[in-house]
Amino acid sequence: MESVSKPFSFTLACLSLFISAAFLLHAAVPHSPSTFGANFPLRSLSALRVSALSFSSSLSIRPLNAQVASNHSHSYLGFDRNIYPGDAAMPILRKTFAFTSYWLSPPPGEKTNTWLGKREFLRAQGFGFLVLCRGRETGELKNEAAAKENGTQDAKNAVAAAKSEGFASGTIIFLDIEEGGRLPASYHAYLGVWSEELTRVGFHPGVYCSGMPVKEEPGVTISTADDIRNDAASREIIIWAYNDSCPPSPGCTFPQEPPPPSSSGIGYAAVWQFAQSPRRKEFTAHCPAKYAPDGNCYAPGDMAHSWLLDVNTATSPDPSGGAK
C-alpha cells in the first residue's frame, strides 16, 4: 500500500475537489447575470468544472466503477463431461481448470448420474461449478400444454436435486439443449415456464445451447442462443454457448489467459464451450491447437488420456455460483 506522506499533494487534491464541488453547486443554483458577468459564457463555466475535475483525476483518484471493471477482465478455464472422472482425477484436473460441470440429472444418453454426492468433495478441491440438467427434445413436446406441464415439472425436479446436493438459492441451473438453430414455439413455451418456476423459488435459469449460426434461407441465419435471447419470455436467461468451429475456437488448448466468452460470436454469453470431445471434423479441421490422435481433448496433466472432456471459458471461476 502506498504511504500517505505527501501533505502538499494531498492538500492540492482536496483543494481541487472543493473547487469542483463549488462549481457544481453553483451550476445547480439560479444566478443573476451579474454573478460572473452578463457576458460570461456557460461553456467557460463548464470548462472550469472539467478542468478542476481533470486536475483531481491526475492525482490518481479513480472512479469506483473503473476499479470494479478492472477486476472482471480475466477469463477462467473449466471443463465439462457427462461421466464423473473419479476422485483421483480431480486434483490433477484442478491444476488446469477453475470450474467443473455438475449434473443434477442423468446426462443425455445416460440412465444414471455419476456426479451425485460429489459437491462437497469438489468444493474442497477449490472447484467452481457449472450446474446443469437435461432438457427435453422437441419430439417430447407434442403441444404447448404438454410443453408447459413438462417445463414446470422439470424445473421442480432440478430444484429438488440442487437442494439435495447442497446448492443454495441463487445458483444458476443450466438447461442442456442439444438442438441447434431456431427452436419451435412449443420449446419456447417449455423454456418459459421452466425459467419462471426456477425464478419463483429463488434459483436462476440458464441454458447450454448452440452459439453457431444456422442458415435458414439465403441471407438469413440464426443461432439457438440468439433465438432464445430474442424471445421476450427468455431474455433474462444466462447463456452458456457452444461453438467449436475454428475460427473462432482456438481448438483443444488450455491458455493461461483464456479468450472471453464474447469471442464465441455470442457477445452476451457468460460461458463459452470452445472444444468438444470427440471433435467434430467438419468444424475443427482448421483449429490451430490440435486434438489428440483419437479425436478427443485431454487435459495437460492427463498423460494416460483417461478423461476425454469439453473445454470452456467463463467470466467467473464459479459460473453457476454453486460453490457458495
Side-chain angles (χ1 to χ4, degrees), residues 54-76:
S54 300
F55 178 70
S56 66
S57 65
S58 70
L59 296 171
S60 300
I61 300 175
R62 296 176 59 203
L64 180 60
N65 60 351
Q67 298 177 38
V68 172
S70 68
N71 292 334
H72 290 82
S73 60
H74 184 67
S75 295
Y76 302 85

Side-chain angles (χ1 to χ4, degrees), residues 46 62 68-69 77 102 106 122-123 129 151-152 181 194 230 232 259 278 294 299:
S46 298
R62 296 176 59 203
V68 172
L77 278 181
Y102 197 100
L122 295 173
R123 188 167 174 266
F129 296 96
T152 301
W194 183 86
N230 293 338
D294 65 359

Side-chain angles (χ1 to χ4, degrees), residues 11-37:
T11 302
L12 284 177
C14 291
L15 179 60
S16 67
L17 289 174
F18 175 80
I19 293 171
S20 300
F23 274 117
L24 289 172
L25 180 61
H26 188 281
V29 178
H31 302 288
S32 66
S34 61
T35 305
F36 283 96

Side-chain angles (χ1 to χ4, degrees), residues 163 199 269 279:
K163 290 181 177 180
T199 302
R279 77 181 183 94

Side-chain angles (χ1 to χ4, degrees), residues 119-298:
R119 178 182 178 271
E120 284 306 316
F121 172 76
L122 295 173
R123 188 167 174 266
Q125 296 288 323
F127 278 104
F129 296 96
L130 280 171
V131 181
L132 71 164
C133 60
R134 188 185 79 86
R136 301 271 178 162
E137 297 180 2
T138 295
E140 299 177 75
L141 308 174
K142 302 300 183 183
N143 51 56
E144 184 173 334
K148 290 183 175 181
E149 182 180 351
N150 288 330
T152 301
Q153 189 57 54
D154 287 355
K156 290 180 178 179
N157 292 343
V159 168
K163 290 181 177 180
S164 177
E165 291 298 297
F167 292 106
S169 296
T171 299
I172 301 171
I173 300 176
F174 290 92
L175 186 73
D176 178 81
I177 302 175
E178 298 288 335
E179 302 173 39
R182 192 181 299 276
L183 298 172
S186 60
Y187 212 103
H188 282 290
Y190 167 76
L191 191 55
V193 296
W194 183 86
S195 172
E196 288 175 6
E197 180 63 21
L198 252 67
T199 302
R200 185 184 69 80
V201 296
F203 285 78
H204 295 306
V207 293
Y208 164 85
C209 65
S210 174
M212 305 175 73
V214 174
K215 187 175 181 179
E216 291 191 307
E217 57 184 82
V220 178
T221 61
I222 188 68
S223 69
T224 309
D226 282 342
D227 184 42
I228 293 171
R229 183 79 164 188
N230 293 338
D231 187 78
S234 307
R235 199 161 291 156
E236 301 303 319
I237 292 178
I238 307 300
I239 298 295
W240 169 10
Y242 70 80
N243 186 352
D244 57 334
S245 181
C246 300
S249 170
C252 178
T253 185
F254 312 93
Q256 293 265 335
E257 293 295 330
S262 58
S263 296
S264 65
I266 303 299
Y268 49 83
V271 188
W272 173 24
Q273 184 191 80
F274 61 81
Q276 296 184 1
S277 292
R279 77 181 183 94
R280 302 189 293 172
K281 294 181 180 179
E282 68 271 31
F283 300 116
T284 60
H286 301 292
C287 288
K290 303 302 181 184
Y291 288 71
D294 65 359
N296 292 314
C297 191
Y298 299 97

